[in-house]
Amino acid sequence: TNDQGELDVALPQKLGLLRLWPSKPGYVPQFMNFGNSNQDPIEDMPGSMTFYLKRGVRVGGMVIDSMGQPISGASVQVRVDAPGSRLMYESEPRINTWLAQGDNAAVTDEDGKWEILNAPAMLEGSDYKFRLQVTHPQFAGDKRWGELQAKQGVTTKQLRDGTARVTLQQGLQIIGSITGPDGQPGTSGLVVWAARPFWAEGVNEPPIDSSGRYASLSLGPGEYPVTVLAPGFAPQQT
């Protein structure tokens, strides 16, 4: 947007689906949906629209290891369970579910602390539910949204007052190498350790490098179906 908060976007004359995500650091992001999953032509979309973003509030906490020591460099993604459907036509904007995700995730500092400043304020008589996904290359992090915070009893109140603590356990990697029928290293493809990677959260596959080696992220205890996919070869799973 310009210094007047305005933005012009050129749209095709016929449009089946339009989704808008207005956001600004320090404000609660919003989401607006025009159209539906069938992508029938939109007939009642206004020619202009004004979004009123509310000031965000802080939620945060700390990430520690099993010895109680802070973990720096951990990625903390945050989502909020907001009412409404993301697929059907909506007459008014609503809170965007994704508060900190991907490249915009919070990262813990040298003291293991993290925070975001775009969370919605507490509702009267109730509150939103925030879900975290905490990961670190050297630790076994969340495989699903809210997995560790639920097991460890992290509450919305703790997130709001900054006392939330999420503990990550030291993980182990699945490491190996790929060779073709001729015994030469396979140098392209993927190794997947999720049973249903399309529905899985986060990163679930590393590439095979130029020497045929691969290494997973740090994983927690359990069994993992390791599937090798290489161009020109039948997939294998163990």
Side-chain angles (χ1 to χ4, degrees), residues 24-28 54-57 117-119:
K24 178 181 173 65
Y27 290 80
V28 181
K54 295 182 179 180
R55 287 278 186 181
V57 300
L117 302 174
N118 63 345

Side-chain angles (χ1 to χ4, degrees), residues 39 145 237:
Q39 298 191 17
W145 284 94
Q237 185 180 89

Side-chain angles (χ1 to χ4, degrees), residues 86-157:
R86 296 194 300 273
L87 298 179
M88 302 305 292
Y89 174 84
E90 299 175 32
S91 59
E92 298 291 337
R94 68 171 183 84
I95 295 173
N96 183 10
T97 297
W98 314 106
L99 300 179
Q101 186 189 29
D103 293 339
N104 295 320
V107 178
T108 56
D109 61 18
E110 61 183 10
D111 296 319
K113 295 180 179 180
W114 65 273
E115 68 177 12
I116 62 170
L117 302 174
N118 63 345
M122 183 176 179
L123 296 168
E124 291 186 12
S126 62
D127 204 350
Y128 296 100
K129 185 171 184 178
F130 300 98
R131 298 183 189 272
L132 309 180
Q133 190 169 51
V134 185
T135 57
H136 190 283
Q138 299 175 355
F139 293 86
D142 279 310
K143 295 189 292 293
R144 295 179 299 276
W145 284 94
E147 180 181 23
L148 292 178
Q149 72 181 98
K151 289 180 179 179
Q152 298 173 17
V154 174
T155 65
T156 297
K157 181 179 184 301

